[in-house]
Amino acid sequence: MQHIHVPAAATALYDYPKYWAECFGTAPYLPMSRAEMDALGWDSCDIIIVTGDAYVDHPSFGMAIIGRLLENQGYRVGIISQPDWQSSEAFEVLGKPNLFFGVAAGNMDSMINRYTADRKPRSDDAYTPGGVGGRRPDRCSLVYAQRCKEAWPEVPVILGGIEASLRRIAHYDYWQDKVRRSILVDATADMLIYGNAERAVVEVAHRLARGESIVAITDVRGTAFIRRDTPEGWFEIDSSRVDRPGKIDRIVNPYVSTQDMDDCERERRNSAFSGMTINDKGEQLVEFDARRLDRTHTVIRLPSFEKVRNDAVLYAHASRVLHMETNPGNARALVQQHGDLDLWMTPPPIPLTTEEMDYVFSMTYARLPHPSYEGAKIPAYEMIRFSVNIMRGCFGGCTFCSITEHEGRIIQNRSQSSILHEIEQIRDTVPGFTGVISDLGGPTANMYRIACKSREIEAACRKPSCVYPGICSNLNTSHAALTELYREARRLPGIKKILIGSGVRYDLAVKDPEYVKELVTHHVGGYLKIAPEHTEAGPLSKMMKPGTDSYEEFKRMFEKYSKEAGKEQYLIPYFIAAHPGTTDEDMMNLALWLKRNDFRADQVQAFYPSTMATATAMYHSGRNPLHKVTYKSEQVATVKDPEQRKLHKAFLRYHDPKNWPLLREALQRMGRADLIGDGPQHLIPKHQPRSNADYRAPRRKNTEDAHKRRTSTKRMN
């Protein structure tokens, strides 16, 4: 018997009746088998979530959040975790869902999860019991969606999660080195929900439960779907080509980067401009169209899949337009043709309010892996089980990162009381808790409650970053709320230590010395992660990262407050090799900087062209989408040759004898043989050591040096 409860309409997530909890009580886990469904008295599931991760009922895992949210709206939700994808049988285990399948790859993109930056397969998977690799297929959300359709062709399939979110349009695929179609088209799914999915998935579920067809749901923000034409009442802006003359040159400018209200007004006026026509006398006539003032019924047409597949410049252009249409306050819908179909994307979702964020994290979670795993260790869970997510989003705009494209650049914050309550839950319910919270953070540790000073400016802004090339004058940089949160968390009974494991945005932190002192004095467990990424202007400008001045300022503050606290603590800076815009000389200069600062990088990361990132568009196209893209626009040096990528990584590990032969050859080729020798001014020695016994790994060296300093201090005392 089909049973679907349809809650009444509401304006916020937490306004919906908690029907399930009131009538049935919340189950310890969402069911993964028919036996669990039988124990709950279910004859069917309303919604089945298929995920590439092991099922961990914890708010750091997407399937748990969406599952519990839908459960709280009155739906019976089942979980199919890491199914055997070789046939459709594993997708039939819970029966036919009454409403839809929700399909996601998991917390990570399945390709990044499976392969290194050098395209080599990984042997492990942090989201699988026992850390075993190979439990999910490549592009697993695509494969899962196809299997769901094979099992139940008539049931709608909705894609979600970060893998689908970042593949919502035609995208460059690093692993195949080609442009692929939107994953929605390849997966033959019915809808894709991108970004923060809570509000969208709830609305779609309610409308399907009321009998509305999935193909009729085309007005939900943060969704993508297929259409065959532009509906009546919509105004289409053609941005499918570059270097176009006359009339089409003067379309609504998708490249305006609003920095202040003057620019906002300029953009408003531009939005009314239709273009130019030529009359019989050869005179240019300006045309205006009032429809352009209505962004809610304006759609920008991107170059088609076929065009961006064959023309890298058009790919870069499409990437720029997409990134300029990511502010929920002013974004317009986008459309991209795939063959004879149009892929539509509605504007990004409105960020969740603090009350909605609190509601999402207040739902009843077991906070443990599903018992069917019989206690097998899930590395990703072990990493986060004593951590607390306090916010979402990032306004940093780093071009190599895709967080902003998924979570948005407007920070979504939880309340202090909600965060403190979760800490108490961890203290009281999570097995093995010793009194140490491993992290209070998010994508960035110190963006909590930092936002634009004006909602009007924020809604009109089209800048890709609030902190590059400098911190925006409209950004409120006070860390007072975060500092107070740290202090209140430390006061909780049974809490011995609060560590900050998320990376700190140091150029933002130095604007609030009180925060830096609080952080360094109480919340560093010996090491603190920061990410300068590089020292040279060329790559930094392509990354949209600050120069070393901010790093040096933060370093001075870090060392000062560590000394005042009587603590021996160290910064762990991260650097990227082979990023677009990086030359061999840039990497050499970075290596020299590392040597001057007596730093030996332990972890080295080569640039990973993740889907939809701006730097990935640079890598593929050789153009810079941070500026207007034309066939004559700035070209970006890219590092694609495996040997050059290896060289750039070797410069970061200049201290490793294994890299010296490669570096000697490169330095001689670059005319910098003066850096080869045995003096302190040299980067590498002339000769190889007779054995590796003379070489100590950086981590071991740092540990030994620290031990010597401590021993020396004790003797002096």
Side-chain angles (χ1 to χ4, degrees):
M1 176 181 175
Q2 191 179 52
H3 164 75
I4 303 175
H5 171 72
V6 185
T11 58
L13 294 176
Y14 54 86
D15 287 336
Y16 289 105
K18 296 183 180 179
Y19 177 84
W20 179 274
E22 292 172 359
C23 296
F24 301 109
T26 303
Y29 295 90
L30 301 173
M32 291 179 63
S33 66
R34 290 301 303 226
E36 291 172 88
M37 289 173 60
D38 292 342
L40 293 169
W42 295 6
D43 57 346
S44 63
C45 290
D46 298 323
I47 299 159
I48 296 175
I49 296 174
V50 183
T51 175
D53 289 344
Y55 172 32
V56 180
D57 198 60
H58 187 284
S60 290
F61 288 77
M63 90 292 285
I65 285 182
I66 298 301
R68 290 300 190 186
L69 178 64
L70 290 168
E71 177 190 60
N72 272 261
Q73 307 306 311
Y75 300 108
R76 296 174 297 185
V77 183
I79 300 283
I80 297 178
S81 168
Q82 298 188 320
D84 179 0
W85 67 91
Q86 302 300 333
S87 73
S88 62
E89 292 182 9
F91 298 80
E92 301 171 2
V93 64
L94 300 182
K96 176 182 174 181
N98 299 320
L99 294 180
F100 65 88
F101 278 106
V103 175
N107 276 16
M108 279 186 70
D109 183 290
S110 64
M111 300 302 289
I112 295 177
N113 180 278
R114 176 83 183 279
Y115 298 96
T116 69
D118 296 322
R119 298 188 179 99
K120 296 179 180 178
R122 303 183 195 271
S123 59
D124 60 343
D125 184 342
Y127 293 88
T128 298
V132 179
R135 290 290 300 274
R136 69 183 95 199
D138 290 353
R139 304 173 187 84
C140 67
S141 51
L142 186 159
V143 177
Y144 291 162
Q146 292 174 338
R147 291 291 181 264
C148 289
K149 279 296 184 183
E150 289 179 21
W152 312 101
E154 68 277 20
V155 175
V157 173
I158 300 176
L159 294 172
I162 191 165
E163 178 169 281
S165 183
L166 300 183
R167 287 169 165 76
R168 58 187 182 264
I169 65 168
H171 54 279
Y172 173 72
D173 185 277
Y174 172 63
W175 304 272
Q176 290 185 331
D177 191 24
K178 72 175 188 179
V179 175
R180 291 179 60 99
R181 297 188 297 181
S182 164
I183 194 172
L184 180 63
V185 177
D186 281 344
T188 64
D190 298 277
M191 177 181 285
L192 185 154
I193 297 178
Y194 71 87
N196 300 294
E198 286 93 347
R199 192 180 287 110
V201 77
V202 166
E203 181 174 351
V204 170
H206 292 339
R207 290 171 67 169
L208 289 175
R210 289 194 288 267
E212 195 168 342
S213 170
I214 187 73
V215 298
I217 302 176
T218 59
D219 57 347
V220 178
R221 295 184 71 113
T223 61
F225 45 85
I226 301 298
R227 271 179 170 164
R228 292 188 178 274
D229 54 20
T230 300
E232 186 177 352
W234 281 77
F235 184 79
E236 184 175 302
I237 299 173
D238 185 358
S239 190
S240 61
R241 287 187 280 172
V242 296
D243 285 347
R244 302 178 70 178
K247 176 181 177 180
I248 307 179
D249 249 354
R250 301 297 302 272
I251 62 171
V252 173
N253 185 356
Y255 300 114
V256 171
S257 294
T258 302
Q259 297 181 13
D260 52 40
M261 291 308 291
D262 289 338
D263 286 335
C264 296
E265 175 63 18
R266 187 180 305 115
E267 170 64 6
R268 186 192 69 78
R269 293 177 180 177
N270 282 348
S271 68
F273 189 82
S274 180
M276 289 188 177
T277 59
I278 308 297
N279 65 13
D280 295 338
K281 298 179 181 179
E283 298 170 336
Q284 290 184 332
L285 302 178
V286 177
E287 294 181 347
F288 288 85
D289 193 326
R291 293 176 299 172
R292 291 187 172 228
L293 295 174
D294 182 10
R295 287 177 177 264
T296 62
H297 283 80
T298 299
V299 61
I300 298 176
R301 180 167 292 278
L302 301 174
S304 68
F305 158 68
E306 290 77 12
K307 287 183 178 179
V308 298
R309 177 188 59 188
N310 299 323
D311 188 331
V313 174
L314 284 179
Y315 182 90
H317 166 75
S319 174
R320 177 168 174 78
V321 174
L322 180 139
H323 283 85
M324 287 297 177
E325 298 296 330
T326 56
N327 183 346
N330 60 33
R332 291 159 287 201
L334 301 174
V335 60
Q336 184 177 54
Q337 187 175 357
H338 287 61
D340 61 347
L341 303 174
D342 272 350
L343 171 78
W344 276 64
M345 290 157 284
T346 59
I350 301 297
L352 299 185
T353 64
T354 294
E355 292 77 13
E356 288 174 318
M357 285 283 285
D358 287 353
Y359 170 68
V360 166
F361 284 86
S362 70
M363 296 182 295
T364 302
Y365 299 95
R367 306 190 73 86
L368 291 166
H370 192 272
S372 63
Y373 303 128
E374 299 179 342
K377 298 289 185 183
I378 300 174
Y381 168 71
E382 297 297 321
M383 183 182 297
I384 57 86
R385 64 178 177 153
F386 302 133
S387 69
V388 179
N389 193 326
I390 65 174
M391 43 76 73
R392 286 184 190 165
C394 179
F395 50 71
C398 300
T399 63
F400 51 80
C401 178
S402 299
I403 289 175
T404 301
E405 285 77 5
H406 182 58
E407 294 189 1
R409 64 182 176 90
I410 297 175
I411 304 302
Q412 301 164 79
N413 309 280
R414 295 173 62 186
S415 69
Q416 183 184 105
S417 60
S418 171
I419 296 165
L420 296 179
H421 179 65
E422 184 172 353
I423 294 174
E424 292 174 324
Q425 282 186 314
I426 293 172
R427 178 196 65 193
D428 299 338
T429 64
V430 178
F433 182 64
T434 61
V436 179
I437 296 295
S438 60
D439 189 25
L440 287 183
T444 301
N446 60 318
M447 288 186 181
Y448 179 72
R449 294 210 173 277
I450 293 181
C452 189
K453 296 175 183 177
S454 165
R455 289 191 176 184
E456 289 75 19
I457 294 176
E458 180 182 73
C461 183
R462 292 163 67 81
K463 291 180 64 177
S465 172
C466 299
V467 291
Y468 183 86
I471 294 177
C472 179
S473 60
N474 292 314
L475 187 69
N476 176 14
T477 58
S478 171
H479 290 58
L482 186 56
T483 301
E484 179 62 22
L485 173 62
Y486 288 174
R487 291 170 179 168
E488 291 299 318
R490 293 201 308 272
R491 294 189 184 106
L492 291 175
I495 302 302
K496 300 176 183 177
K497 186 78 172 178
I498 303 283
L499 297 174
I500 304 304
S502 303
V504 172
R505 184 85 191 197
Y506 56 86
D507 54 336
L508 198 61
V510 296
K511 298 296 182 181
D512 194 331
E514 183 181 0
Y515 166 75
V516 178
K517 183 175 183 178
E518 189 79 14
L519 171 72
V520 173
T521 304
H522 299 287
H523 301 285
V524 177
Y527 298 93
L528 180 68
K529 294 186 296 184
I530 58 173
E533 309 298 3
H534 218 285
T535 59
E536 304 306 296
L540 286 174
S541 68
K542 303 303 183 291
M543 297 175 179
M544 289 209 302
K545 291 286 288 187
T548 55
D549 290 348
S550 295
Y551 167 78
E552 295 293 347
E553 184 179 0
F554 183 80
K555 183 173 182 288
R556 286 192 294 269
M557 296 172 72
F558 180 87
E559 292 172 347
K560 173 188 174 183
Y561 294 133
S562 292
K563 183 178 180 180
E564 290 179 0
K567 295 183 176 182
E568 190 169 359
Q569 301 180 144
Y570 303 93
L571 290 176
I572 303 296
Y574 287 79
F575 299 92
I576 295 180
H579 191 278
T582 307
T583 64
D584 295 352
E585 287 74 16
D586 289 329
M587 293 307 302
M588 177 191 70
N589 290 332
L590 173 54
L592 291 170
W593 183 90
L594 293 172
K595 184 176 176 65
R596 285 196 303 272
N597 287 272
D598 195 26
F599 184 79
R600 296 184 171 189
D602 186 19
Q603 296 181 341
V604 176
Q605 177 64 54
F607 170 64
Y608 205 142
S610 59
T611 313
M612 198 177 276
T614 298
T616 301
M618 296 181 195
Y619 176 88
H620 171 59
S621 69
R623 294 297 195 279
N624 185 3
L626 296 176
H627 305 289
K628 184 173 182 178
V629 177
T630 71
Y631 290 101
K632 297 179 181 180
S633 62
E634 175 191 2
Q635 297 195 30
V636 179
T638 56
V639 185
K640 297 183 179 181
D641 179 71
E643 289 304 311
Q644 191 181 15
R645 286 173 66 87
K646 184 178 179 181
L647 172 63
H648 283 207
K649 291 174 67 175
F651 271 120
L652 281 181
R653 290 183 56 81
Y654 67 92
H655 50 276
D656 188 341
K658 296 177 183 178
N659 292 326
W660 292 348
L662 179 62
L663 291 175
R664 287 193 198 99
E665 179 183 347
L667 290 172
Q668 290 171 351
R669 184 177 65 250
M670 295 163 63
R672 295 305 308 268
D674 58 299
L675 295 176
I676 304 173
D678 300 321
Q681 76 276 18
H682 296 121
L683 182 63
I684 57 173
K686 290 182 179 180
H687 307 290
Q688 290 293 114
R690 282 175 290 184
S691 71
N692 287 331
D694 297 329
Y695 172 69
R696 290 178 296 167
R699 188 179 296 278
R700 181 180 175 187
K701 175 186 181 299
N702 293 340
T703 303
E704 290 176 356
D705 290 349
H707 175 71
K708 288 178 181 178
R709 286 192 291 269
R710 286 193 295 269
T711 303
S712 175
T713 302
K714 288 179 181 178
R715 288 174 180 169
M716 291 175 63
N717 293 336

